[in-house]
Short mmCIF file of all heavy atoms in Angstrom, two decimals:
data_model
loop_
_atom_site.label_atom_id
_atom_site.label_comp_id
_atom_site.label_asym_id
_atom_site.label_seq_id
_atom_site.Cartn_x
_atom_site.Cartn_y
_atom_site.Cartn_z
N LEU A 20 53.40 44.75 66.97
CA LEU A 20 53.64 45.77 68.07
C LEU A 20 53.16 47.12 67.53
O LEU A 20 53.34 47.42 66.28
CB LEU A 20 55.11 45.82 68.43
CG LEU A 20 55.71 44.49 68.88
CD1 LEU A 20 57.18 44.77 69.30
CD2 LEU A 20 54.95 43.82 70.01
N SER A 21 52.70 47.93 68.40
CA SER A 21 52.25 49.29 68.04
C SER A 21 52.88 50.33 68.98
O SER A 21 53.14 50.01 70.14
CB SER A 21 50.75 49.41 68.11
OG SER A 21 50.13 48.53 67.17
N CYS A 22 53.07 51.48 68.51
CA CYS A 22 53.59 52.57 69.31
C CYS A 22 52.96 53.90 68.95
O CYS A 22 52.88 54.22 67.71
CB CYS A 22 55.11 52.66 69.10
SG CYS A 22 55.92 53.98 70.04
N VAL A 23 52.49 54.60 69.91
CA VAL A 23 51.87 55.94 69.70
C VAL A 23 52.78 56.99 70.39
O VAL A 23 53.16 56.79 71.55
CB VAL A 23 50.47 55.95 70.24
CG1 VAL A 23 49.90 57.38 70.09
CG2 VAL A 23 49.58 54.97 69.55
N VAL A 24 53.08 58.02 69.67
CA VAL A 24 53.86 59.14 70.20
C VAL A 24 52.99 60.33 70.44
O VAL A 24 52.26 60.75 69.48
CB VAL A 24 54.98 59.47 69.20
CG1 VAL A 24 55.97 60.47 69.82
CG2 VAL A 24 55.76 58.23 68.72
N SER A 25 53.07 60.86 71.64
CA SER A 25 52.27 62.05 71.95
C SER A 25 53.14 63.26 72.12
O SER A 25 54.16 63.22 72.83
CB SER A 25 51.53 61.78 73.25
OG SER A 25 50.67 60.66 73.17
N GLY A 26 52.77 64.31 71.42
CA GLY A 26 53.44 65.61 71.59
C GLY A 26 54.74 65.79 70.87
O GLY A 26 55.39 64.85 70.45
N TYR A 27 55.07 67.07 70.68
CA TYR A 27 56.38 67.49 70.18
C TYR A 27 56.76 66.80 68.85
O TYR A 27 57.86 66.21 68.75
CB TYR A 27 57.46 67.23 71.19
CG TYR A 27 57.20 67.97 72.52
CD1 TYR A 27 56.54 67.35 73.57
CD2 TYR A 27 57.59 69.26 72.67
CE1 TYR A 27 56.26 68.03 74.74
CE2 TYR A 27 57.30 69.95 73.88
CZ TYR A 27 56.66 69.31 74.88
OH TYR A 27 56.42 69.93 76.02
N PRO A 28 55.92 66.88 67.80
CA PRO A 28 56.28 66.15 66.57
C PRO A 28 57.48 66.71 65.88
O PRO A 28 58.15 65.99 65.10
CB PRO A 28 55.04 66.40 65.73
CG PRO A 28 54.36 67.59 66.28
CD PRO A 28 54.63 67.54 67.75
N ASP A 29 57.91 67.97 66.20
CA ASP A 29 59.10 68.49 65.54
C ASP A 29 60.42 67.96 66.18
O ASP A 29 61.49 68.25 65.68
CB ASP A 29 59.11 70.00 65.71
CG ASP A 29 58.02 70.66 64.81
OD1 ASP A 29 57.57 69.98 63.88
OD2 ASP A 29 57.61 71.79 65.15
N ASN A 30 60.27 67.17 67.28
CA ASN A 30 61.46 66.68 67.99
C ASN A 30 61.95 65.33 67.41
O ASN A 30 62.95 64.86 67.89
CB ASN A 30 61.16 66.50 69.48
CG ASN A 30 61.14 67.80 70.20
OD1 ASN A 30 60.92 68.86 69.60
ND2 ASN A 30 61.31 67.77 71.52
N TYR A 31 61.25 64.74 66.44
CA TYR A 31 61.67 63.51 65.87
C TYR A 31 61.30 63.40 64.43
O TYR A 31 60.33 63.98 63.99
CB TYR A 31 61.06 62.33 66.69
CG TYR A 31 59.57 62.26 66.66
CD1 TYR A 31 58.90 61.51 65.71
CD2 TYR A 31 58.82 62.99 67.58
CE1 TYR A 31 57.50 61.47 65.68
CE2 TYR A 31 57.42 62.91 67.57
CZ TYR A 31 56.77 62.16 66.58
OH TYR A 31 55.40 62.19 66.59
N ASN A 32 62.15 62.70 63.67
CA ASN A 32 61.79 62.32 62.28
C ASN A 32 62.09 60.92 61.92
O ASN A 32 61.99 60.54 60.80
CB ASN A 32 62.51 63.37 61.28
CG ASN A 32 64.02 63.36 61.50
OD1 ASN A 32 64.57 62.61 62.31
ND2 ASN A 32 64.63 64.23 60.80
N TRP A 33 62.51 60.15 62.96
CA TRP A 33 62.67 58.69 62.77
C TRP A 33 61.99 58.04 64.00
O TRP A 33 62.16 58.45 65.13
CB TRP A 33 64.13 58.33 62.70
CG TRP A 33 64.83 58.70 61.42
CD1 TRP A 33 65.34 59.93 61.11
CD2 TRP A 33 65.10 57.84 60.32
NE1 TRP A 33 65.89 59.86 59.85
CE2 TRP A 33 65.70 58.62 59.34
CE3 TRP A 33 64.78 56.53 60.01
CZ2 TRP A 33 66.13 58.14 58.10
CZ3 TRP A 33 65.22 56.02 58.79
CH2 TRP A 33 65.84 56.81 57.87
N LEU A 34 61.31 56.91 63.75
CA LEU A 34 60.76 56.07 64.77
C LEU A 34 61.29 54.67 64.60
O LEU A 34 61.32 54.18 63.46
CB LEU A 34 59.22 56.08 64.69
CG LEU A 34 58.50 57.41 65.07
CD1 LEU A 34 57.01 57.31 64.78
CD2 LEU A 34 58.83 57.77 66.52
N ALA A 35 61.70 54.08 65.67
CA ALA A 35 62.36 52.78 65.58
C ALA A 35 61.82 51.78 66.66
O ALA A 35 61.22 52.16 67.61
CB ALA A 35 63.87 53.00 65.77
N TRP A 36 62.25 50.55 66.43
CA TRP A 36 62.03 49.52 67.41
C TRP A 36 63.38 48.93 67.77
O TRP A 36 64.20 48.66 66.88
CB TRP A 36 61.14 48.40 66.87
CG TRP A 36 59.69 48.84 66.75
CD1 TRP A 36 59.07 49.31 65.60
CD2 TRP A 36 58.75 48.83 67.80
NE1 TRP A 36 57.76 49.60 65.90
CE2 TRP A 36 57.52 49.34 67.24
CE3 TRP A 36 58.75 48.48 69.14
CZ2 TRP A 36 56.36 49.40 67.98
CZ3 TRP A 36 57.58 48.59 69.86
CH2 TRP A 36 56.39 49.08 69.27
N PHE A 37 63.58 48.75 69.09
CA PHE A 37 64.77 48.11 69.60
C PHE A 37 64.30 46.93 70.46
O PHE A 37 63.17 46.88 70.90
CB PHE A 37 65.60 49.09 70.46
CG PHE A 37 66.31 50.13 69.64
CD1 PHE A 37 65.64 51.18 69.15
CD2 PHE A 37 67.69 50.01 69.43
CE1 PHE A 37 66.32 52.19 68.48
CE2 PHE A 37 68.34 51.00 68.74
CZ PHE A 37 67.66 52.04 68.20
N ARG A 38 65.21 45.99 70.72
CA ARG A 38 64.84 44.88 71.64
C ARG A 38 66.09 44.62 72.47
O ARG A 38 67.27 44.82 72.14
CB ARG A 38 64.43 43.68 70.85
CG ARG A 38 65.49 43.04 70.00
CD ARG A 38 64.91 41.90 69.19
NE ARG A 38 65.91 41.20 68.40
CZ ARG A 38 65.63 40.20 67.51
NH1 ARG A 38 64.36 39.83 67.30
NH2 ARG A 38 66.61 39.66 66.80
N GLN A 39 65.80 43.96 73.62
CA GLN A 39 66.87 43.70 74.59
C GLN A 39 66.51 42.43 75.37
O GLN A 39 65.35 42.23 75.77
CB GLN A 39 67.06 44.87 75.52
CG GLN A 39 68.29 44.70 76.43
CD GLN A 39 68.54 46.01 77.18
OE1 GLN A 39 67.69 46.81 77.38
NE2 GLN A 39 69.83 46.17 77.60
N VAL A 40 67.50 41.61 75.54
CA VAL A 40 67.38 40.44 76.44
C VAL A 40 68.35 40.65 77.57
O VAL A 40 69.33 41.32 77.44
CB VAL A 40 67.65 39.15 75.69
CG1 VAL A 40 66.64 38.88 74.60
CG2 VAL A 40 69.09 39.10 75.10
N PRO A 41 68.10 40.05 78.75
CA PRO A 41 68.97 40.21 79.90
C PRO A 41 70.40 39.83 79.56
O PRO A 41 70.66 38.76 78.92
CB PRO A 41 68.32 39.26 80.94
CG PRO A 41 66.88 39.23 80.55
CD PRO A 41 66.89 39.23 79.04
N GLY A 42 71.27 40.66 79.94
CA GLY A 42 72.72 40.38 79.74
C GLY A 42 73.27 40.83 78.40
O GLY A 42 74.45 40.67 78.17
#
Side-chain angles (χ1 to χ4, degrees):
L20 306 183
S21 297
C22 178
V23 177
V24 187
S25 300
Y27 302 94
D29 292 337
N30 284 23
Y31 60 94
N32 56 5
W33 288 81
L34 292 174
W36 289 95
F37 288 77
R38 66 184 182 186
Q39 188 170 23
V40 296

